[in-house]
Amino acid sequence: MITKVHKSVWISASVVAVLVVLFNLQPLAIALVTISWSPGVSDSTLMALEHTGQKELEELDQKLRANVPKGHYLVVNSTVNEFYLYKGEQMVKKDICSTGSYVLLKKSEKEKWMFKTPKGEFRIRNKTKDPVWKKPDWAFVEEGLPVPSANHPSRFEYGVLGDYSLSLGDGYLIHGTLFQRFLGLPVTHGCIRLDDENLELVYKSLPMGSKVFIF
């Protein structure tokens, strides 16, 4: 009797990341899975679960469809390092990316950095062609070098971010990489890395203000 519930979940799976971000549905998902796989659950309980779950999922599906952007937007799964470019409910492209490594870099008790990609709903705040990377303090600490002044020439590196970058705010970017063999692995300092072809596609598809969902 759980088949229909599972089917409903699968129908919405293509945009489940957006639904989780918008409505914080992790408790519901966990409850459905836990109950359906628990031993000794009676048929009547499963039937009640099916009815309640079906109704809630239909209501949530309506809310989801009303809130899904009509234009292009990006969904990033930082657990498996994949991205999904959508236009409305249609997936345009799915491929690998790289996200934060969760490595802790520590200079002192007061100066330390955790390299993780933030989760939640974001917007494209700025778009740059041929971006220049202004190296933050942690980049010098990581290399064992003294930290220079704010606008010292050693702060600026050319060609390391690819042909384009898209800013999500707070220093987090979607950009390219010189080390494309590492794509699909959690190796970044928090930014989202794409290969050259996908970066160009995302750059051209997402206008300013476009939504990016990261989970």
Side-chain angles (χ1 to χ4, degrees):
M1 296 297 294
I2 297 299
T3 305
K4 293 182 180 179
V5 176
H6 285 170
K7 183 179 180 181
S8 297
V9 174
W10 176 252
I11 290 173
S12 298
S14 63
V15 283
V16 69
V18 182
L19 187 145
V20 169
V21 170
L22 289 174
F23 302 109
N24 193 22
L25 296 184
Q26 289 175 319
L28 172 63
I30 293 171
L32 286 171
V33 173
T34 301
I35 294 174
S36 64
W37 287 97
S38 297
V41 177
S42 66
D43 289 342
S44 60
T45 300
L46 293 178
M47 291 177 66
L49 171 65
E50 177 188 5
H51 177 75
T52 302
Q54 182 74 28
K55 183 178 179 180
E56 290 186 10
L57 286 169
E58 288 174 356
E59 292 174 354
L60 290 169
D61 188 64
Q62 292 177 0
K63 291 181 180 179
L64 173 63
R65 291 177 184 277
N67 283 276
V68 168
K70 305 303 180 185
H72 286 88
Y73 61 97
L74 192 69
V75 178
V76 178
N77 184 335
S78 61
T79 301
V80 298
N81 288 285
E82 290 182 344
F83 77 89
Y84 318 95
L85 178 63
Y86 282 92
K87 183 176 182 181
E89 296 183 29
Q90 180 181 2
M91 185 185 294
V92 177
K93 185 67 179 291
K94 169 187 174 181
D95 209 339
I96 59 174
C97 61
S98 281
T99 57
S101 64
Y102 277 86
V103 169
L104 176 64
L105 176 64
K106 185 176 179 181
K107 181 180 179 182
S108 66
E109 286 301 324
K110 292 184 178 180
E111 289 186 280
K112 49 190 174 181
W113 300 266
M114 173 65 77
F115 299 132
K116 62 181 181 179
T117 300
K119 295 178 174 61
E121 178 182 332
F122 304 86
R123 288 185 180 272
I124 301 299
R125 297 190 178 187
N126 192 28
K127 298 175 63 175
T128 305
K129 187 175 181 181
D130 299 322
V132 177
W133 183 38
K134 185 177 182 181
K135 297 171 67 174
D137 290 355
W138 56 255
F140 296 93
V141 175
E142 188 176 48
E143 295 175 8
L145 299 174
V147 177
S149 59
N151 291 307
H152 191 273
S154 63
R155 290 271 186 182
F156 302 93
E157 286 197 4
Y158 299 82
V160 297
L161 299 181
D163 293 333
Y164 309 95
S165 70
L166 301 91
S167 173
L168 303 177
D170 296 326
Y172 294 102
L173 303 173
I174 300 171
H175 63 78
T177 176
L178 298 175
F179 306 101
Q180 299 195 19
R181 65 185 181 277
F182 294 129
L183 287 170
L185 301 175
V187 294
T188 83
H189 298 94
C191 292
I192 298 164
R193 297 179 187 173
L194 305 176
D195 68 19
D196 296 340
E197 180 182 346
N198 288 325
L199 179 61
E200 182 175 11
L201 174 63
V202 168
Y203 182 87
K204 292 181 176 180
S205 298
L206 299 182
M208 292 282 291
S210 296
K211 291 187 176 182
V212 177
F213 301 94
I214 305 175
F215 70 105

